[in-house]
Amino acid sequence: MTDEVFGNSNGEITIELPDKFGAKHYLNGSIRTPWTRREDCPKNARESDAVCTIVVDERWAEALTGVETCSHLVVLYWMSRSRRDLVLQVLRHYGVGRGTFALRSPARPNPIAMSVARLLRVEGTRLSVVGLDCLDDTPLLDIKPYFASTDAVPDAVVGWHAARR
Amino acid sequence: MTDEVFGNSNGEITIELPDKFGAKHYLNGSIRTPWTRREDCPKNARESDAVCTIVVDERWAEALTGVETCSHLVVLYWMSRSRRDLVLQVLRHYGVGRGTFALRSPARPNPIAMSVARLLRVEGTRLSVVGLDCLDDTPLLDIKPYFASTDAVPDAVVGWHAARR
């Protein structure tokens, strides 16, 4: 959910970040989407039927073997423009402070976004998918097959969200 | 799925990794599990009812505000002992080469594991959960609320896996 975050006011709380990083990631491709401004991005991935294209670096071409048999993929990508020091965030359409780990906001210590995307087709190293919500040219971190047996929990509840409806 | 990977034989294919990293991650805590050897880990997260404990660094304590209202969490963690150069992998119990992006194997360019965990309770910065499959003391990357509306796809299919049953 790419909810916009208010400036650093309204009860937001930031912290001092650790002085070193602990893990280093390759950027393995990029995600092409119709959205070039944050305010144009869908608020969540199910809000849009837009087809996006995951362009995987040629280096990893063979790693896509078998991906075409998946109906859905777990896509991890890097929200590189996000703040990383927010612990409490105030989302515009709720107005209450929530902890970063209770939110899907891109502003988080490691701004890794996770979306479940429906795979339409694979053409070489280009994957056409529906269900992403990120800015155009977002760096790709990982692609995984989505297993309903372990990843689908249809009766899961986010209490704070259900209560606000 | 923490499927073991054969040595570098049997049709596995490796590539030369990029010469630089593109993203840097903080390690924000650690995951305590009953498993200290890879061969003891459950093959997938639904295979065990063991309670694991996510110990979040104190620095991020406030970021947990509201997490206690979630029934399930998306947990991202860092499989630090994994190879990163495999594009085609041969899993022991299948015997056929599959592309890394079509597998949940921890060996991948960015060894970020994603599991959906059921939250039992939150005590300070310690979260008791069921549904993880990693080694004891695995570094934590991120915690997110699991939204059934966007994350649950009960009819998703992994074709190569379904065909092997």
Side-chain angles (χ1 to χ4, degrees), chain B residues 31-71:
Chain B
I31 301 176
R32 307 310 310 263
T33 78
W35 309 293
T36 54
R37 300 181 312 165
R38 184 171 286 187
E39 55 269 37
D40 297 332
C41 291
K43 259 205 284 300
N44 73 61
R46 290 277 166 96
E47 211 184 68
S48 166
D49 281 335
V51 176
C52 301
T53 306
I54 303 173
V55 185
V56 178
D57 285 352
E58 285 294 335
R59 182 188 297 269
W60 299 107
E62 275 193 278
L64 291 169
T65 310
V67 164
E68 73 285 352
T69 71
C70 300
S71 69

Side-chain angles (χ1 to χ4, degrees), chain B:
Chain B
M1 325 252 140
T2 54
D3 294 307
E4 302 94 341
V5 173
F6 278 154
N8 192 1
S9 54
N10 293 305
E12 277 184 355
I13 297 178
T14 63
I15 56 149
E16 199 166 324
L17 288 166
D19 55 3
K20 55 183 178 188
F21 294 101
K24 293 179 179 173
H25 289 234
Y26 300 114
L27 303 179
N28 299 316
S30 70
I31 301 176
R32 307 310 310 263
T33 78
W35 309 293
T36 54
R37 300 181 312 165
R38 184 171 286 187
E39 55 269 37
D40 297 332
C41 291
K43 259 205 284 300
N44 73 61
R46 290 277 166 96
E47 211 184 68
S48 166
D49 281 335
V51 176
C52 301
T53 306
I54 303 173
V55 185
V56 178
D57 285 352
E58 285 294 335
R59 182 188 297 269
W60 299 107
E62 275 193 278
L64 291 169
T65 310
V67 164
E68 73 285 352
T69 71
C70 300
S71 69
H72 293 74
L73 300 172
V74 173
V75 185
L76 301 181
Y77 43 102
W78 185 240
M79 310 295 267
S80 52
R81 305 196 211 170
S82 299
R83 295 181 57 168
R84 303 177 69 165
D85 59 347
L86 286 169
V87 285
L88 216 63
Q89 305 185 37
V90 180
L91 302 183
R92 204 181 293 273
H93 48 288
Y94 293 113
V96 192
R98 302 276 174 211
T100 291
F101 293 141
L103 296 171
R104 292 291 274 263
S105 158
R108 49 206 315 116
N110 294 316
I112 308 172
M114 188 284 282
S115 285
V116 179
R118 182 161 55 87
L119 180 64
L120 300 180
R121 61 184 172 277
V122 181
E123 292 161 301
T125 54
R126 298 171 70 88
L127 281 59
S128 300
V129 300
V130 171
L132 299 181
D133 57 6
C134 57
L135 285 169
D136 188 35
D137 218 19
T138 293
L140 174 71
L141 288 173
D142 198 11
I143 298 171
K144 304 175 188 294
Y146 181 96
F147 281 92
S149 56
T150 49
D151 302 327
V153 186
D155 57 353
V157 173
V158 177
W160 68 258
H161 190 260
R164 298 286 305 177
R165 283 200 180 162

Side-chain angles (χ1 to χ4, degrees), chain A residues 19-34:
Chain A
D19 55 3
K20 55 181 177 189
F21 294 99
K24 292 178 180 175
H25 289 236
Y26 300 113
L27 303 178
N28 299 314
S30 70
I31 301 174
R32 307 309 310 263
T33 77

